[in-house]
Amino acid sequence: MKVFTILLLILFFSSSNAWSSSEYEKLEKRIRVLEKTKTKSNASSTATGLSNRFNPALSVNGLLLGTFNDQGNYDSSKEVRTGLKIQELEIRMAAYVDTYLRADITLAFEGTTDFEVEEAIAEALLSKNLSFRAGKFLTAFGKHNQLHTHAYPFIDLPVVNEEILGEEGLNEIGVGASYLLPTNWFSEITFQALEGANTNQFNGRAGSDFAYLIRQNNLWDLSEETTMELGGSYVSGKNNLDPTSTFDNKTQLVGADLTFKWKPSGREAYKTWIWQTEFIGSFREQTQEGWYTSLQHQFAKEWWVQGRYSGYSIPNGVNKEDKNQWSALLAWVPSEFSAIRLQYNHLNQKTADENQVLLQLNFTLGSHPAHKY
Amino acid sequence: MKTYKLKISILVLSFIFFWVPVSWASLNVVTTTSDLASIVKEVGGSLVKVESLVKGYQNPHYIQPKPSYMVKMNRADLLIYQGLELEIGWLSTLIEGARNPDLRLGQTGHLDASTGISRLETLESEVDRSMGDIHPSGNPHYNLDPENGFIIAQSIYNKLSELDSENATKYKSNLEKFNSKLEKKIIHWKNLMKPFKGTKIITYHKLWSYFAKRFDLNVVNNVEVKPGVPPTTKHLAKLTALMNREDIKVILQSTYYESDFAKMVAGRTEAIILVLPSFVGGTPETTDYFSLFDTIIQKLTNNLQPST
């Protein structure tokens, strides 16, 4: 009886095992085939960052600003005085137009009524490595000048940018080409032919007084975690100086920038160091020059602490001036779509020194194209 | 003499500037994630040179679009990415900046590896950003289901043999080799995981859904309250209570997350935190797609309690 039971058991189990190993594999294969054939038409938008099918990717950046300034509170002409305002509202639309063109438009409201076409760019890849653009754009002069207001590392511009290029920066109508050089590291050369309308530096008397820009920038990976970027920019154009003046009406702008960035591998969400320095000089009937250097440190997933020094001077002539600004900033960045930032500025200047405290709420709605590095 | 010197210096300069390393492999492939690179290596063999932009120990959500990646993509014949919005924060900037017409959407050198994958956690209903870093088109961590390896490998094979039809038969035999090895491995892994069927676990981020589904683990909750959003104390208290009540002993977490919150929970329960690689190269011993699962499953089987 025992032997019989054992035999039966062996038979039962061996057959069931035989069934399970071969049939099981067959079933597995059938499942595999089924899983392969199951497809969905739901298109993903990872590749382009654009959604809504053929509608442009639409986004709005809102910058709400509260300011305290210990000087000039009764001076209504003053840009930075105590009060609340909408610093800027940027509406952005970006999409491919057709096989050849991509368009990227940014409309900006400053305050509640001032409207400006901040950028309207049509861009095409002409051949491998060579891209072409036309429209109105933040020109490739240095690093800071290429940023939209919501992407500024601090709430305001460095003094040197504000004094030399103006509140709106070197933002011009023109055409440009940029070429990625076939080097082992990232190296790019950019030419831009511009209307030359910047009132601080150009704005020549003739309509044909164009300005021409060249920029060359390079980026090296110093290690897996650290990069170094080095760039140089030059613009030449005509300003609106009176022809009877002893000086010619030519303006030359020179810029140099150096940026180091660090992010720890495997902990990229939690820590960052960015050190950026930029020199800007304007050479015409008078010389204007200055620089800024800023250090940004992300010390926890949602927290940044930053410092900046910016100096500016007119070394000679009747307008001789020398001033500098120290800034400190603390930011809480709960997600990539919002931030609350608190900044302190101390401005040393010929008139009374100024102390400013700025508090900004920065938010992004919608499908915003990824920022540049 | 002067012109001679000038000519020499121009020659030297142009050599420095325009020298690009020559590779004998017929196809130059760039992938975003290391799992894709590993499978390209299996299917392409020595005919293909492949590099992954993101290393396995890096968090693919937080990669910066470094211009040095653009240079790699500029020289590539083929870009393969994981898709389902995993790379949404940076890939579009890289594709634009690479200035390589072949890699653009709809071109021959552009491959979305998520094509054909059965997606989990797709959100057909209304979504908005109050829900955290959600991926409405599906959870992008499908590489952690080894069955998806077959689908990825098939897509890669199709693309390689399209771009390099001369070597299609070689790719075909590589693909078959890979498939039969993966088939055997999956049976082995399933057997190893069998005793832990239905085990309840907690994960830090919704990263293990595909893995858990394939190997019958029951993910009860996550440490993150919403994807990408750190937990509140209330959520942690709820989680602690849940884990004590249901006797949940394990928290799974990828190598690239800080484990402060998981430690808080573990301290108030008897749970252990298992830090596991979630991509090839996440830990040094995960050198390819097979050893990734070998490592994960070995760590799990050593630490999970068999469900009886």
Side-chain angles (χ1 to χ4, degrees), chain A residues 46 96 129 178 221 224, chain B residues 57 68 74 85 96 99 147:
Chain A
T46 305
Y96 277 90
N129 294 22
S178 103
D221 278 320
E224 193 178 274
Chain B
Y57 46 82
S68 38
N74 180 265
E85 292 162 7
E96 286 297 316
R99 276 161 271 192
E147 287 281 349

Side-chain angles (χ1 to χ4, degrees), chain B residues 269-286:
Chain B
T269 58
E270 276 163 37
I272 51 162
I273 304 164
L274 277 188
V275 178
L276 299 179
S278 49
F279 288 100
V280 172
T283 56
E285 67 275 22
T286 55

Side-chain angles (χ1 to χ4, degrees), chain A residues 209-233:
Chain A
D209 286 339
F210 297 114
Y212 301 93
L213 177 148
I214 180 169
R215 173 168 169 81
Q216 210 281 313
N217 63 313
N218 303 279
L219 182 132
W220 293 271
D221 278 320
L222 299 184
S223 72
E224 193 178 274
E225 302 181 329
T226 315
T227 60
M228 179 176 100
E229 186 180 357
L230 182 64
S233 319

Side-chain angles (χ1 to χ4, degrees), chain B residues 5-18:
Chain B
K5 263 189 182 169
L6 189 74
K7 271 183 188 162
I8 290 276
S9 52
I10 288 174
L11 204 76
V12 169
L13 264 176
S14 55
F15 186 75
I16 293 170
F17 269 92
F18 300 107

Side-chain angles (χ1 to χ4, degrees), chain A residues 224-295:
Chain A
E224 193 178 274
E225 302 181 329
T226 315
T227 60
M228 179 176 100
E229 186 180 357
L230 182 64
S233 319
Y234 173 80
V235 198
S236 171
K238 293 269 166 65
N239 58 52
N240 60 355
L241 201 68
D242 198 297
T244 58
S245 151
T246 46
F247 300 97
D248 68 359
N249 62 341
K250 193 175 177 193
T251 302
Q252 295 185 85
L253 287 180
V254 179
D257 55 85
L258 178 65
T259 309
F260 291 91
K261 288 193 186 188
W262 176 84
K263 246 185 194 303
S265 261
R267 286 288 178 275
E268 30 294 286
Y270 306 93
K271 279 196 171 57
T272 311
W273 280 101
I274 301 171
W275 179 34
Q276 185 166 313
T277 306
E278 215 174 314
F279 293 87
I280 302 175
S282 160
F283 303 97
R284 46 190 292 185
E285 77 282 1
Q286 69 178 14
T287 299
Q288 292 171 288
E289 59 191 24
W291 64 296
Y292 74 83
T293 185
S294 67
L295 198 59

Side-chain angles (χ1 to χ4, degrees), chain B residues 200-211:
Chain B
K200 288 177 179 167
I201 57 166
I202 298 292
T203 65
Y204 180 79
H205 177 78
K206 271 198 167 184
L207 205 151
W208 304 96
S209 308
Y210 290 90
F211 182 87

Side-chain angles (χ1 to χ4, degrees), chain B residues 162-175:
Chain B
E162 176 198 328
L163 293 178
D164 178 23
S165 50
E166 268 176 46
N167 291 307
T169 49
K170 189 84 207 301
Y171 296 134
K172 184 84 193 171
S173 80
N174 287 346
L175 174 72

